Amino acid sequence: MASVAMVDLKTQYQKLKPEMDAAIAGVLQETAFILGKRAEDFEKKFAEYCGTAHCIAVGNGTDAIGMALQAIGIKAGDEVITTPYTFFATVEGIIECGAVPKLVDIDPATFCIDPKAVEAAITPKTRAIIPVHLYGQLCDMKSIMTIAKKHNLKVMEDSAQAHGATDGGKRAGSFGDAATFSFYPGKNLGAYGDAGAVVTNTQTVADHVRLTRNHGSSVKYFHHAIGRNSRLDGIQAAVLSVKLPHLDAWNKRRVQLATTYNKAIKEIAQKCSVPIVCPEIHDGGRHVFHLYTLRAPQRDALKEHLVKEGIEVAVHYPMALHQQQALKHLGMRDGSLPNAEKASKEVLSIPLCPELTDANQRKVIDAISAFYSK
Ligand SMILES: *Cc1c(COP(=O)(O)O)cnc(C)c1O
């Protein structure tokens, strides 16, 4: 095992152990394994946290995307504009609806979708925009909402990496018509298995997702629509309810670690005259650093060096979506989305999680310094 890990869920569990064990034991006693009171409790608390009227907890973040898009009215043949620089699940949700993903380039400064590119891609078939708050950083939601209003489009925020990110007092997930979250274990708020949620302020959207996640049924064995099985289970609900009160403190620690990295790495860049690019840190919590991702000269050699030093690193993501085998049918050639393609060759995520110790962060910084001083 790497001596400095990207994610340290073991240490996190040790800190929460008494409360966590009691909560999980409670579910076993209650034998309420699917949805139930603990899921309802979590839905209420998470909606409140996001500042939305509704939260519907589902099986995972990917299902959440497909169901949220259906609920806001996306149908076969519609076009949905999104970023080519995201986890694959974002487009799976679009394709699942029979809709067509229209991938437009990112802003190289933020890695998030470029609002100007969004506006340029709108056609009479466009129905929605999916901004993805990549690495934990909110997209330029002001511009995106303005464009959506002007062209009468829906906005569905993929907030899987941005639990708690805030701009002007508004949280990730509260800007658009609906938003989705993943509680995959390594996310800023993570379950002990698969879990996800849709949040929205619109009653009809909430009702639609609530019905869809449970076989189109609100009364057992009476089905109003074709749905699916995608429900939060009781154990995940208990785990998430134990963790949610810690989310803000964990995000604060993430920003603190990012601030330390930025200062140290900018010094290395200057000392060694290498153009390493650090993420921008804004006041007010727009970035909750799900990932701390650099643009690193000689990226692959640096990666190899850090791994050799026992430091776990990752490339998020090594290929833009339009270059993926599974999306060749979109017919987009290499070179068509240059900012996303360039990012895929330059980015490197280094360890950052709330449990990362100052001493281990120092090891990472020293190893980066040693590499570029050679
Ligand atoms: C993790 C993630 C998802 C998928 O969530 P799952 O819970 O793993 O299905 C979707 N979009 C983005 C941007 C993600 O990072």
Side-chain angles (χ1 to χ4, degrees), residues 112 133 136-140 157 165-167 170 172 175 286-287:
C112 289
H133 306 311
Q137 175 166 225
L138 284 176
C139 295
D140 177 357
E157 299 166 67
T166 309
D167 192 16
K170 276 173 78 74
F175 293 87
R286 275 193 60 193
H287 200 328

Side-chain angles (χ1 to χ4, degrees), residues 2 19-20 53 79 83 89 122 136 141 167 176 222 298 329 335 354:
E19 204 189 342
M20 189 62 84
E79 291 178 1
T83 169
I122 295 171
M141 290 309 293
D167 192 16
F222 293 88
Q298 307 169 62
H329 66 278

Side-chain angles (χ1 to χ4, degrees), residues 60-62 65 86-87 89-90 132 158 160-161 182-184 187 194-195 317:
N60 58 72
T62 307
I65 294 167
T86 173
F87 182 59
T90 310
V132 181
D158 182 343
Q161 303 187 359
S182 164
F183 305 118
Y184 181 82
K187 299 284 161 87
D194 274 315
Y317 297 91

